[in-house]
Amino acid sequence: MQANDIKKQLKLLIEEASVIDPSLAKRLEEINRWVKDVKPGSLTAKKFVLFFLQQLIKDALIWLDIQALASPEEQQQYYDRMTPTEYYWYRYLFPKWINQPDPKFSIWKQKLMAGEFNPADTHVLQLIASDIVHREGTFWQCYIADFSMATDIIVSSRHKEPLCIQITSLSDEFSQEKSDNWENTLQRWGIDRGLFLSYNPHITDFVNQVVNISLYNSDHLKTGVYLKFSL
C-alpha cells in the first residue's frame, strides 16, 4: 500500500469508525493529524512509519468488522477463528489501546517519524517466531505492543495461554532500568503476567533456549508474576 493510499484509507476508516466506534475514530484521527502534512514521497521514505500505518489499518479493519457483527455470538465465532495470540490482541490489548490513554504515544510517534526507531533485534525475533511455530506454538508481533506495552512478542504454547515477552540482549547497559519500566508498563495496561528475557547472543543455541523458556512460561507462569530471566 502506497503513501497516498494509506492516507485515503485512514480518512475512510475515520468516517466508518465515527459511527461504529468513536474511540477508535479519535485514535485514528490522532494518527491522521500526525501524517497528513507529510508529503507522499517523504512518507514513502520512512519505511517503519509506513509499516506501522499498514499494520494499524489492518487492526482497525478487523476491529470494525468485529464491532459491526450483530450479536455477541457472531463476534465470538469471529474470534474463534483466530490463533490464541491473535485473539488476545484483538479481544483484550488492542481495545485497551483504543480506549485508554497511552502515556508513550507522543514519544514513540516523534521517534518513529524522526527515524530513531531501529529494530536491532528483528532478525532474532524472526528466528524465535519461526521456531515457536515449528513447535506448534503461536506468536503475535506488532508495533503498538512494542512501542506502548513493552512487549516484543506474544507467545502461546500447548495450554493456549498468551504471554507477553520483552526480549533483550545481556549487553544492554540499562537492563535493570529497562526491566523495571517493563514491569510498570505491563501493570499499567492490565497485563497480569509477563516475561523479561535477557539472552547472550554469543551462546550458540540461544534461540532454542529463548523459545524453550518462552513456551514453558506461557503454560506455567502464574498470574501476577513478572519474571525476569537471564540466559
Side-chain angles (χ1 to χ4, degrees):
M1 190 182 295
Q2 299 300 313
N4 274 330
D5 296 328
I6 284 174
K7 288 188 173 187
K8 291 176 184 176
Q9 184 73 63
L10 265 178
K11 292 177 181 178
L12 290 172
L13 281 172
I14 290 167
E15 292 178 10
E16 184 178 355
S18 64
V19 176
I20 298 174
D21 188 338
S23 294
L24 175 59
K26 181 180 178 182
R27 188 65 93 192
L28 292 174
E29 182 56 49
E30 289 178 296
I31 297 295
N32 185 56
R33 287 197 300 271
W34 177 52
V35 299
K36 70 177 183 178
D37 293 329
V38 181
K39 294 180 179 179
S42 298
L43 191 56
T44 300
K46 298 176 183 296
K47 64 177 182 177
F48 293 117
V49 175
L50 278 184
F51 291 161
F52 163 72
L53 292 171
Q54 290 166 353
Q55 200 172 78
L56 177 62
I57 287 170
K58 177 187 173 184
D59 284 346
L61 285 167
I62 289 173
W63 179 250
L64 289 172
D65 282 347
I66 294 169
Q67 299 310 302
L69 294 172
S71 68
E73 290 77 18
E74 288 178 299
Q75 290 185 359
Q76 189 57 49
Q77 288 174 5
Y78 194 111
Y79 285 127
D80 288 343
R81 295 193 293 270
M82 297 179 175
T83 67
T85 46
E86 189 179 13
Y87 173 83
Y88 183 60
W89 174 248
Y90 288 111
R91 182 68 180 85
Y92 296 104
L93 295 187
F94 187 60
K96 282 177 182 284
W97 185 74
I98 293 170
N99 289 288
Q100 297 180 20
D102 180 354
K104 298 182 181 181
F105 193 33
S106 60
I107 298 170
W108 63 249
K109 279 193 304 179
Q110 181 180 358
K111 288 186 175 182
L112 193 59
M113 188 64 76
E116 296 175 15
F117 172 64
N118 183 24
D121 294 330
T122 297
H123 179 61
V124 171
L125 291 174
Q126 288 173 343
L127 291 174
I128 291 167
S130 178
D131 197 8
I132 287 168
V133 172
H134 179 71
R135 301 195 206 182
E136 299 183 346
T138 69
F139 76 96
W140 189 256
Q141 228 182 322
C142 66
Y143 285 109
I144 294 170
D146 183 5
F147 297 153
S148 299
M149 301 175 180
T151 297
D152 287 315
I153 192 168
I154 305 170
V155 171
S156 75
S157 188
R158 291 187 300 272
H159 296 175
K160 299 181 179 180
E161 294 289 341
L163 177 65
C164 291
I165 302 175
Q166 178 88 59
I167 299 173
T168 188
S169 68
L170 289 173
S171 61
D172 185 350
E173 61 181 309
F174 303 110
S175 58
Q176 183 59 50
E177 179 183 359
K178 187 174 181 179
S179 65
D180 290 342
N181 290 336
W182 160 80
E183 184 172 336
N184 292 334
T185 298
L186 263 58
Q187 292 175 343
R188 161 73 180 73
W189 288 104
I191 298 170
D192 57 13
R193 63 182 193 142
L195 173 64
F196 186 93
L197 183 55
S198 300
Y199 68 90
N200 184 344
H202 302 297
I203 297 175
T204 305
D205 66 339
F206 76 87
V207 170
N208 180 62
Q209 292 188 45
V210 166
V211 173
N212 286 342
I213 293 164
S214 298
L215 294 176
Y216 177 84
N217 282 286
S218 170
D219 282 342
H220 297 99
L221 192 65
K222 294 182 179 179
T223 298
V225 176
Y226 302 93
L227 179 64
K228 299 168 187 177
F229 194 100
S230 295
L231 291 175

